[in-house]
Amino acid sequence: MPSPLPVRDGVNATRLRLPDEGPWETALDYMMHRWGHIDPQGIEDRFDAGEIVGEAGIALDRSTPMQDHTFIWYYRSLPPETRIPVELNILHQDDHLLVVDKPHFLPTTPGGTYIQESALVRLRNQLGLPDLIPMHRLDRMTAGILLLSTNPETRGKYQVLFEKRQVQKEYECVSAAEPAPGHPAVDFPVVVRNRMTKSRSYLLAEVVDGEPNAETRIERLHTFDAASAPASAPDGGPHSALHCGLDGGPQRRALYRLEPHSGKTHQLRVHMASLGLGIVNDAFYPELLDKAPDDYTQPLQLLARGIRFVDPISGTPVEYRSSLELSEAR
């Protein structure tokens, strides 16, 4: 259902479904039940100013009955955000698509504590494109190629490509050259297939029994010596274990090419960890570490290197490649 309110400051209006029944007589009563403990005066002021609307953009007031509308829309009050010290690089723009290099640490879309500091909102505001929509997502900690639709009229043609898995994606990552103790040696290239699901205990992905729904082809491109590092990271972080071998000397690392044939959450990180080859600077897999402030000097060594498909408008094959490089690659 399209929003009757336009995008404001790069952010869509929030949609709320009103319940079919309950003890609340008015839409105001229900909103006070949900958020009155946070900002009751602000909610009343929005109703008085006509800033809360229902279907067809009809403004609600304090007395609007619950049953008058199924959905209502309003703009959230956004807290100030500290700017993430990274920049987006525009690689291509035409009447249908925008292609950018998304840096590490910047989320693709608004969520949680990141609203203005998301790739989508930054680009909407920077380019004056309120209808901009991402065609796929990259994790906040993953950098690289991101495609966005600039034209609502042709957006569906590109969405179909992703739905039918007619888009080929290529990633690169840095990990140890040999699996961690307890894991068997790997004969590359290798295809990892398993069944993944969201964990119920935490916002992570996990492998479960059942028919495979995730597949990745993994190829080792070349190996190299990691730069020397102290025996333990100053903050107890994940970095040192992948820098040093058992004898304290530099550990052999490798650059890998990853080709996912599905798009499950954290799929590449889980599949590398399942081989005993957790990606450098991954704070989630194979072990979940205590949350710490972002360390911009230690980005996750995972990059969306390229994307290929047959353009549904021109009918010609196209490929977009990232200009970024992984900081730990050699």
Side-chain angles (χ1 to χ4, degrees):
M1 180 181 296
S3 171
L5 293 176
V7 171
R8 187 170 76 178
D9 296 329
V11 182
N12 295 86
T14 296
R15 186 181 74 173
L16 174 68
R17 182 185 178 96
L18 298 178
D20 295 328
E21 57 184 23
W24 313 282
E25 295 184 0
T26 66
L28 171 61
D29 290 339
Y30 180 66
M31 290 197 73
M32 283 296 192
H33 165 73
R34 292 286 300 271
W35 296 291
H37 62 289
I38 298 175
D39 184 19
Q41 186 61 54
I43 294 173
E44 292 178 343
D45 290 345
R46 291 187 188 191
F47 274 96
D48 293 342
E51 293 183 353
I52 298 178
V53 305
E55 289 87 348
I58 298 172
L60 281 62
D61 59 34
R62 297 192 189 200
S63 62
T64 301
M66 281 274 292
Q67 61 268 23
D68 279 12
H69 297 276
T70 302
F71 294 98
I72 61 175
W73 287 262
Y74 61 95
Y75 295 111
R76 287 178 292 174
S77 297
L78 303 179
E81 296 178 51
T82 301
R83 185 171 177 84
I84 299 174
V86 295
E87 300 298 332
L88 286 149
N89 182 27
I90 296 175
L91 303 177
H92 171 83
Q93 184 177 356
D94 59 31
D95 292 337
H96 310 286
L97 283 181
L98 175 69
V99 185
V100 302
D101 256 338
K102 186 191 82 66
H104 296 284
F105 301 103
L106 191 70
T108 297
T109 55
T113 59
Y114 304 100
I115 307 297
Q116 294 291 329
E117 285 305 290
S118 64
L120 178 60
V121 174
R122 276 199 191 184
L123 289 167
R124 280 177 172 177
N125 291 331
Q126 175 185 340
L127 301 175
L129 296 173
D131 290 325
L132 196 65
I133 293 292
M135 291 289 89
H136 60 113
R137 296 191 183 190
L138 295 178
D139 291 340
R140 188 170 81 88
M141 293 302 182
T142 303
I145 289 290
L146 178 65
L147 265 66
L148 304 99
S149 165
T150 61
N151 188 340
E153 295 182 1
T154 60
R155 182 167 298 152
K157 296 181 182 295
Y158 292 95
Q159 289 174 328
V160 166
L161 296 181
F162 285 90
E163 292 169 1
K164 294 186 175 180
R165 297 184 180 178
Q166 295 175 348
V167 177
Q168 290 75 52
K169 300 177 184 178
E170 176 188 340
Y171 290 74
E172 292 176 359
C173 75
V174 175
S175 182
E178 299 297 333
H183 291 265
V186 181
D187 185 16
F188 293 103
V190 65
V191 175
V192 178
R193 296 185 186 92
N194 52 32
R195 184 167 189 84
M196 291 179 54
T197 185
K198 285 278 191 73
S199 171
R200 295 182 179 180
S201 58
Y202 198 81
L203 297 179
L204 296 178
E206 60 183 357
V207 176
V208 297
D209 293 334
E211 184 70 20
N213 62 359
E215 178 179 316
T216 306
R217 181 183 185 274
I218 303 172
E219 178 183 357
R220 188 167 62 192
L221 298 179
H222 66 267
T223 62
F224 55 91
D225 284 334
S228 60
S232 60
D235 59 355
H239 318 303
S240 61
L242 287 168
H243 275 285
C244 301
L246 295 177
D247 60 357
Q251 184 194 52
R252 294 291 289 173
R253 284 191 182 169
L255 180 67
Y256 297 86
R257 177 187 291 126
L258 313 175
E259 296 175 340
H261 297 160
S262 51
K264 298 299 180 182
T265 300
H266 294 176
Q267 175 178 321
L268 301 179
R269 298 161 73 171
V270 170
H271 281 180
M272 288 296 292
S274 72
L275 299 176
L277 297 169
I279 299 173
V280 172
N281 297 338
D282 192 342
F284 283 6
Y285 310 96
E287 294 182 7
L288 177 62
L289 303 179
D290 291 336
K291 181 174 175 55
D294 288 336
D295 183 349
Y296 298 111
T297 68
Q298 301 283 356
L300 175 71
Q301 294 300 286
L302 179 61
L303 172 69
R305 173 57 71 192
I307 194 167
R308 304 187 305 276
F309 55 91
V310 175
D311 190 280
I313 306 299
S314 67
T316 59
V318 295
E319 181 174 10
Y320 300 104
R321 305 285 292 178
S322 175
S323 61
L324 300 174
E325 298 294 339
L326 294 171
S327 58
E328 299 290 338
R330 298 289 186 271

